[in-house]
Amino acid sequence: MARWDPGTEQRLRKAAMELFQRYGYDNVTVTQIAEHAGITRRSYFRYFPDKREVLFANSDQLATAVGEAVLAADKDTSPLAAVLGALTEAGSHLAERAEHAAERHAVINSSPELQERERTKLAALSAAIQQALRQRGVAPHAAKATAQVTTIAFANGYEQWIEANGRKAFADCLATATLALRNALTDSPSAHSAD
Amino acid sequence: MARWDPGTEQRLRKAAMELFQRYGYDNVTVTQIAEHAGITRRSYFRYFPDKREVLFANSDQLATAVGEAVLAADKDTSPLAAVLGALTEAGSHLAERAEHAAERHAVINSSPELQERERTKLAALSAAIQQALRQRGVAPHAAKATAQVTTIAFANGYEQWIEANGRKAFADCLATATLALRNALTDSPSAHSAD
């Protein structure tokens, strides 16, 4: 048997989601996930460093993809437009491939430990965006601020996309979420009566 | 001896900071912190649930104070103004009392585990703001967006206040940080050449 096998990784994620939904995240062990997927506990750790990580398999790829897309944007594109373009592309790709996105979201929201890991993943996404913007010559504070607000827009947009349950495109959700953050910072009372 | 004593709590924080700076956060144990403060390991846990928490003693009070101040703001005050007013007040109070703020910040930045705890504390601040805005009748998405951007402004403003090393008021740092987030979301190239 190969040391690392994408089919096994996929099976582990599926097994974990099934068990987390059935018994609750806190009540499931790595051993149970491994056995449910037909491998040993020891083999599990070839694929994921801990119990949490099995739910965040695509997060690291997302940060890398977004960082690369920001760097690849046209030279004349503004920092915000470059990042939103990258997030639209990578997020739409992620959304298309996402299986059980709503169930996964519910599991994460059920556990402080998983929410913590999710915040860490979002911080890594923000750091990747910030670094790419710096490489595009954006000034330090502006690169940081842009990375922070777009990362929140991404998280909110993805949540809205999940809530829409297939009725909205991710791109539209991201645009709506970005506008809501802009309105929140412009302090006109009318901006706060839209939702 | 009293079961809980503010002097002991203060001594534990001081002992922890000293040891973390001298040996590095990862190399210090709860037992060492307790002994350095002249108490037992067991007594330590009367004051803090784990090693990390000794660095975040004022965070929970901050979230409560900010939530209360948002609720207490004039009825006609906009959501953004209400939150920024609350954060200015509570943040200035925190900044005035802060001892070793720069050293504490450096210790937190040295450890992924501490950065994780800091993000959790900021999420709690954001949740307190969001809840207070909801109680003021702000619509759900707007309350969430306002809480998110102001929490980031607070974190960035506090960092800038630390970097300024006493040369700037916290209120000015918060205002600058808020403006940077607004500029980041307005997509005019000139907004990105300011720092």
Side-chain angles (χ1 to χ4, degrees), chain B residues 45-185:
Chain B
F45 292 107
R46 283 186 209 154
Y47 293 89
F48 304 106
D50 56 29
K51 189 173 86 170
R52 297 196 248 184
E53 204 64 19
V54 70
L55 283 169
F56 295 96
N58 297 317
S59 300
D60 302 334
Q61 294 160 35
L62 178 76
T64 307
V66 170
E68 283 169 4
V70 169
L71 279 176
D74 280 352
K75 222 183 143 192
D76 297 338
T77 311
S78 79
L80 180 64
V83 179
L84 289 179
L87 287 173
T88 300
E89 192 186 334
S92 300
H93 186 61
L94 185 76
E96 275 163 26
R97 292 181 309 159
E99 283 177 32
H100 312 292
E103 292 82 354
R104 175 180 169 277
H105 194 65
V107 169
I108 289 173
N109 282 340
S110 76
S111 157
E113 174 176 319
L114 288 172
Q115 289 172 297
E116 200 167 71
R117 181 64 56 95
E118 175 142 278
R119 282 192 291 267
T120 299
K121 296 296 184 185
L122 287 172
L125 173 61
S126 185
I129 294 170
Q130 185 179 346
Q131 194 188 359
L133 289 175
R134 291 288 295 126
Q135 285 180 46
R136 283 176 73 88
V138 178
H141 280 145
K144 182 174 175 180
T146 303
Q148 289 172 319
V149 292
T150 52
T151 298
I152 296 183
F154 176 81
N156 292 357
Y158 196 77
E159 196 170 285
Q160 286 171 31
W161 173 78
I162 287 172
E163 283 164 8
N165 197 20
R167 296 186 310 276
K168 288 186 196 165
F170 173 75
D172 294 335
C173 296
L174 178 62
T176 304
T178 306
L179 188 62
L181 294 178
R182 187 180 301 160
N183 286 344
L185 279 162

Side-chain angles (χ1 to χ4, degrees), chain A residues 10-25:
Chain A
Q10 190 49 44
R11 228 161 56 235
L12 281 169
R13 284 196 233 164
K14 194 163 167 278
M17 271 301 302
E18 280 176 18
L19 295 176
F20 292 161
Q21 283 185 265
R22 200 179 306 163
Y23 303 111
Y25 173 77

